[in-house]
Amino acid sequence: MSRQHESSSGRREPANVPLIGGPGRPGGPGAPGLGGRGPVVKPKDFKGTLKRLWSHIGREKRWLTVVFALIVANAALGLSGPYLIGRAVDAMAPGAGLVDFGVLKLLALALVIVYVADGLLTFLQGWLMAGISQRIVTALRGMLFGKLQKLPLGYFDARPHGEVMSRLSNDIDNVSTTVSQSTLQLMSGSIAIVGSLVMMLVLSPILTLASLITVPLVYLLARTITKRTKVLFKEQQAQLGKLNGHAEETITGIQVVKAFNYERQAVEQFDEVNEKLYEVGLRAQIWSGFLMPIMSVINNIGFAVVAVVGGLLAVRGDITVGVIASFLSYSRQFVRPLNELANIYNILQSGVAGAERVFEVLDEREEPADPPHAVPLAHPRGRVVFENVSFGYREDVPIISGVSFAAEAGSSTALVGPTGAGKTTIVNLLTRFYDVTGGKITIDGRDIRDYTRDSLRRCFGIVLQDTYLFSGTIRENIKYGKENATDEEVRAAAIMANADPFIRRLPQGYDTVLSENGGNLSQGQRQLLAIARVILAQPSILILDEATSSIDTRTELHIQEALLKVMEGRTSFIIAHRLNTIRDADTIMVIDRGQIVEEGRHERLLERKGSYYRMFSNQFKNVQGAAE
């Protein structure tokens, strides 16, 4: 069915999601593709989301325990290095200018062992953490994709496809980065800070106080700069979204751009947005670039203070030169994690924000479960009855009201009327993409809500104006209607749909690989494949939504011939604006403002000279009959 129609209220009716696939457009302003990680987006509920994310991370408790043990061992090795260096310095100046080479050799060997073991443990930590993070995000990604299959149609109608896609890509990637990097850095950094501080206090409380003087300066600097860059990065992301949107629209509509000779204007618009992105990005990068150099200056001042104070203490004989050397190393180990906290915090914020967006989808209300008394719709005859049906996407804005009609099994019913009248809504209710808000719909005498949703939808076949084909072979696309179909059944369906001749003319025949949405086929060929897909599914009820509106006359004849074969013995609902295509329908219903204003066969409706007569006359008031 056409993706959307204007409703009588001026609201766009949500598009129908077909069983045989519907048009989709991944990407968009919020989609990945341009730029890097982008700015940090703060989560709305940091603590709650972090707690929930930890519940998923906690499923890897066993391996996390192993990683933590490795971090502790790694920290112990890291803390022993500066101590051994200090001892080595003292061994080279024991007094009277003598060097204790025996002790020095043992210390050098110990240092080699410590640093080799440290490197191996660091590699092992990263390797294990990579596996942990990938298992977690793989599970989350699977949960998210599975959830999307269970969400009602209204969820997708209310959101851009690119925004939904970004949750599967960008947000999951942010979670992956957070789990793999932030978790490891937070654990190792915390242990390093505490361990280094303890060793510093053991070596010299006075030097420890001297080294801590710069910590408040580092904190104030980081807070001041990150506060400024937060605003700039947010503006940068807004401009990046505009750039993405313009680029995607231009590329998607490149034929229109070229047809209207709009290339120069498109480039000018792109350059304008790109220039704004450059300006705000430059300011953001300059401000963020201030952080590490200034921190390095502050840290170096701190080391200078430690060196001066340590020198004075050494002259007085309170400490040795080796202690100063060890202390400086511990001081660097203490400061380095503090400097990394700003980056870790940004990654953590971004990851938690991504997790929050993922959890928002996971918390969305799914399609209502089948009631306990629901029964499968087995061997449906196809008699459809609407009994005083009403529906509105919002309670205060009804789209259809008081619709009642009966379609006998094997009959054909055409729905005509102005755009937004409610035609697509009627078939959306029939397929239970939405549930009625008043009245009921029955198939074979039973309320459709009493059937299992899966068995109900299996009895429908839908052919849309803009059909959707998936990346893969022609055979795989036809088999989408019946996964276990044999090659003979696939070809029989293609023959019945008049698709076999053009398929066999292709280089690889049924094994021809289609590009995205069958871009390497014509519109008519795609439509014939969609019909073949429906034929293979053997539905009891057929829905045709403008199935030939965008097809040339010659191709339309082939498609009409195929559709007539499909409609034989099946209950059919046909939505059409070209009235010449539905003259032979058993019943024609004129829908206007959500109500049936006329109903009957073609000849009887013309005799009444009502709404249908006026519509028909408008289309055929001249030789061409082109005014739709």
Side-chain angles (χ1 to χ4, degrees):
M1 300 173 189
S2 56
R3 287 298 302 168
Q4 48 192 350
H5 305 281
E6 291 291 335
S7 71
S8 57
S9 64
R11 177 192 187 281
R12 283 188 179 273
E13 284 186 25
N16 188 8
V17 173
L19 300 180
I20 59 172
R25 187 168 59 92
L34 295 178
R37 287 182 53 81
V40 177
V41 181
K42 279 195 172 184
K44 300 172 185 175
D45 180 13
F46 183 85
K47 292 183 179 179
T49 305
L50 188 60
K51 183 178 179 181
R52 186 169 177 182
L53 180 60
W54 179 252
S55 68
H56 289 272
I57 297 175
R59 296 173 184 174
E60 297 284 338
K61 285 181 180 178
R62 184 179 62 178
W63 288 110
L64 283 172
T65 302
V66 174
V67 171
F68 184 76
L70 293 175
I71 290 174
V72 172
N74 206 0
L77 290 172
L79 293 173
S80 64
Y83 175 77
L84 294 174
I85 290 174
R87 291 291 303 275
V89 171
D90 288 339
M92 288 187 288
L98 298 176
V99 177
D100 191 340
F101 287 103
V103 173
L104 195 59
K105 288 179 181 179
L106 289 174
L107 291 172
L109 179 61
L111 279 170
V112 170
I113 294 173
V114 164
Y115 289 133
V116 170
D118 179 78
L120 290 174
L121 289 178
T122 301
F123 169 78
L124 192 56
Q125 291 169 36
W127 183 64
L128 290 176
M129 206 64 210
I132 291 171
S133 65
Q134 288 305 309
R135 285 193 295 273
I136 292 170
V137 298
T138 297
L140 275 176
R141 189 180 289 112
M143 291 171 60
L144 181 59
F145 188 78
K147 179 74 175 187
L148 291 175
Q149 312 309 309
K150 301 176 183 178
L151 291 177
L153 186 63
Y155 176 85
F156 301 96
D157 293 331
R159 292 163 179 81
H161 291 177
E163 198 275 339
V164 176
M165 287 293 297
S166 71
R167 305 203 182 207
L168 270 169
S169 54
N170 283 356
D171 294 322
I172 289 291
D173 286 342
N174 286 342
V175 173
S176 176
T177 302
T178 297
V179 174
S180 62
Q181 294 185 16
S182 298
T183 305
L184 195 62
Q185 289 180 346
L186 282 172
M187 288 193 294
S188 61
S190 300
I191 295 174
I193 289 173
V194 173
S196 298
L197 183 60
V198 170
M199 293 301 296
M200 288 161 63
L201 288 170
V202 170
L203 290 174
S204 174
I206 297 176
L207 284 180
T208 302
L209 289 175
S211 66
L212 292 178
I213 291 175
T214 59
V215 173
L217 295 176
V218 170
Y219 171 75
L220 291 174
L221 173 68
R223 183 173 182 179
T224 302
I225 292 181
T226 54
K227 187 176 181 180
R228 176 63 177 169
T229 54
K230 174 185 171 183
V231 177
L232 291 172
F233 276 131
K234 186 175 182 180
E235 186 180 351
Q236 179 184 355
Q237 188 67 0
Q239 294 299 328
L240 182 61
K242 292 180 181 179
L243 191 73
N244 279 341
H246 178 69
E248 185 197 8
E249 284 184 353
T250 304
I251 294 170
T252 303
I254 191 66
Q255 289 181 322
V256 178
V257 172
K258 290 184 176 296
F260 285 89
N261 197 28
Y262 203 78
E263 294 94 335
R264 180 178 56 81
Q265 294 92 327
V267 171
E268 289 176 354
Q269 291 177 8
F270 183 89
D271 289 342
E272 181 181 350
V273 180
N274 199 25
E275 181 66 24
K276 291 180 180 178
L277 178 60
Y278 162 76
E279 292 173 358
V280 68
L282 181 63
R283 295 201 305 271
Q285 294 301 324
I286 289 175
W287 272 95
S288 62
F290 285 156
L291 186 60
M292 292 311 296
I294 298 178
M295 276 190 173
S296 296
V297 171
I298 294 175
N299 292 335
N300 289 333
I301 291 173
F303 295 144
V305 171
V306 171
V308 170
V309 175
L312 294 174
L313 292 176
V315 169
R316 290 170 49 185
D318 294 336
I319 58 175
T320 65
V321 176
V323 169
I324 297 175
S326 297
F327 192 93
L328 286 172
S329 296
Y330 286 125
S331 179
R332 287 185 181 276
Q333 289 189 10
F334 176 78
V335 171
R336 187 182 67 251
L338 290 177
N339 292 344
E340 293 173 351
L341 280 180
N343 184 48
I344 294 172
Y345 181 72
N346 284 347
I347 295 175
L348 189 62
Q349 287 273 16
S350 181
V352 173
E356 187 173 63
R357 283 164 53 82
V358 171
F359 294 146
E360 284 175 359
V361 179
L362 294 178
D363 292 337
E364 285 287 338
R365 182 178 296 178
E366 299 178 1
E367 283 188 312
D370 294 327
H373 62 272
V375 297
L377 176 54
H379 310 295
R381 298 190 308 278
R383 186 174 189 272
V384 176
V385 178
F386 274 56
E387 298 181 16
N388 198 31
V389 170
S390 299
F391 173 77
Y393 298 105
R394 285 169 38 194
E395 293 183 4
D396 57 333
V397 183
I399 301 300
I400 62 172
S401 58
V403 172
S404 297
F405 68 86
E408 299 300 326
S411 66
S412 59
T413 302
L415 307 176
V416 300
T419 299
K423 305 183 293 297
T424 299
T425 299
I426 289 175
V427 295
N428 278 344
L429 295 174
L430 177 59
T431 53
R432 276 202 76 190
F433 290 141
Y434 293 92
D435 281 325
V436 300
T437 54
K440 70 176 181 178
I441 304 172
T442 65
I443 293 180
D444 296 343
R446 189 162 193 159
D447 194 316
I448 61 174
R449 289 169 292 191
D450 293 336
Y451 293 119
T452 59
R453 185 177 283 104
D454 180 67
S455 65
L456 172 69
R457 290 180 179 167
R458 285 184 184 278
C459 81
F460 292 102
I462 306 175
V463 180
L464 305 173
Q465 174 184 358
D466 297 315
T467 190
Y468 193 88
L469 299 177
F470 297 92
S471 298
T473 65
I474 288 179
R475 179 180 285 103
E476 290 169 344
N477 270 275
I478 296 177
K479 289 177 68 174
Y480 202 79
K482 184 181 178 183
E483 292 185 22
N484 59 351
T486 63
D487 290 346
E488 290 74 17
E489 289 175 321
V490 170
R491 186 173 182 190
I495 292 173
M496 188 174 179
N498 290 335
D500 182 67
F502 91 80
I503 294 175
R504 287 190 288 108
R505 286 196 300 268
L506 295 173
Q508 284 80 40
Y510 285 83
D511 293 319
T512 300
V513 177
L514 302 180
S515 60
E516 182 181 356
N517 197 20
N520 48 344
L521 298 179
S522 69
Q523 176 69 27
Q525 290 171 333
R526 292 199 295 270
Q527 204 75 310
L528 291 175
L529 290 183
I531 295 171
R533 188 157 52 185
V534 169
I535 292 173
L536 188 62
Q538 298 181 344
S540 300
I541 301 174
L542 186 64
I543 295 174
L544 308 175
D545 189 349
E546 299 287 355
T548 62
S549 64
S550 57
I551 304 299
D552 63 88
T553 305
R554 182 179 178 182
T555 306
E556 181 180 6
L557 294 176
H558 289 288
I559 293 179
Q560 287 284 13
E561 181 182 346
L563 289 176
L564 288 174
K565 295 177 184 177
V566 181
M567 292 167 61
E568 289 180 3
R570 292 184 172 90
T571 307
S572 303
F573 291 88
I574 309 155
I575 297 176
H577 286 292
R578 289 158 65 168
L579 303 183
N580 64 314
T581 62
I582 48 94
R583 291 188 183 196
D584 298 326
D586 297 321
T587 303
I588 298 174
M589 294 191 302
V590 181
I591 314 296
D592 192 9
R593 298 185 180 182
Q595 295 182 327
I596 301 174
V597 296
E598 286 185 346
E599 182 177 358
R601 292 187 65 88
H602 173 73
E603 295 80 6
R604 295 291 302 274
L605 291 175
L606 289 179
E607 291 173 2
R608 292 181 188 176
K609 295 192 175 182
S611 298
Y612 183 80
Y613 174 82
R614 289 191 294 272
M615 292 171 58
F616 192 84
S617 299
N618 285 337
Q619 287 194 12
F620 296 94
K621 63 184 178 181
N622 53 38
V623 176
Q624 288 77 23
E628 287 193 22

